[in-house]
Amino acid sequence: MNKIKAGELERYFRKSELVPTIVQEKSTGQVLMLAYMNRESLQKTLETGYTWFFSRSRQELWNKGATSGHLQKVLEFYGDCDDDTLLAVVEQTGNACHTGSPRRLFNQII
């Protein structure tokens, strides 16, 4: 595994100011959610060890679980081969969704 140094993070923002970030639970392998990171939220995630995202609707940073206590501790962090998607493998405390669902992706379409 190639570890990415802090100075190399700019490569994920060549195509867009926001990078889609998949969040996966380490213990189950289940995908919990998809959110977006900007430069600042990615830096805060790396500094704190907990997920930070950029809210497109509120146009502000948010620390996942800061108000609910349902935090996501980052255990592993990956960038894809095209440098335009991130994967955060986490230890989820509580539910990932504000509705009480363990994950945010639960409305089955097909």
Side-chain angles (χ1 to χ4, degrees):
M1 172 173 51
N2 296 329
K3 294 214 175 184
I4 297 171
K5 298 178 180 87
E8 299 174 349
L9 296 176
E10 191 60 32
R11 69 199 240 187
Y12 295 103
F13 300 98
R14 289 183 188 145
K15 297 177 185 174
S16 176
E17 293 295 313
L18 297 176
V19 178
T21 304
I22 301 161
V23 180
Q24 179 184 34
E25 169 61 49
K26 173 77 172 177
S27 65
T28 64
Q30 188 172 65
V31 173
L32 301 175
M33 60 184 281
L34 170 87
Y36 292 86
M37 288 190 174
N38 65 4
R39 288 169 180 82
E40 187 178 1
S41 62
L42 176 55
Q43 192 62 45
K44 282 184 160 293
T45 297
L46 296 174
E47 288 170 1
T48 66
Y50 289 88
T51 56
W52 284 78
F53 301 105
F54 183 79
S55 170
R56 296 178 300 161
S57 59
R58 295 188 314 265
Q59 293 292 297
E60 65 184 18
L61 292 182
W62 58 287
N63 175 218
K64 179 67 178 140
T67 55
S68 67
H70 297 174
L71 298 168
Q72 296 174 336
K73 181 178 181 181
V74 178
L75 304 176
E76 300 170 29
F77 208 39
Y78 300 92
D80 77 339
C81 60
D82 293 326
D83 295 337
D84 61 4
T85 303
L86 300 171
L87 170 65
V89 180
V90 303
E91 177 182 270
Q92 174 73 48
T93 301
N95 297 317
C97 185
H98 65 279
T99 66
S101 175
R103 62 186 196 271
R104 294 180 65 98
L105 300 165
F106 60 84
N107 291 320
Q108 186 171 353
I109 296 171
I110 296 176

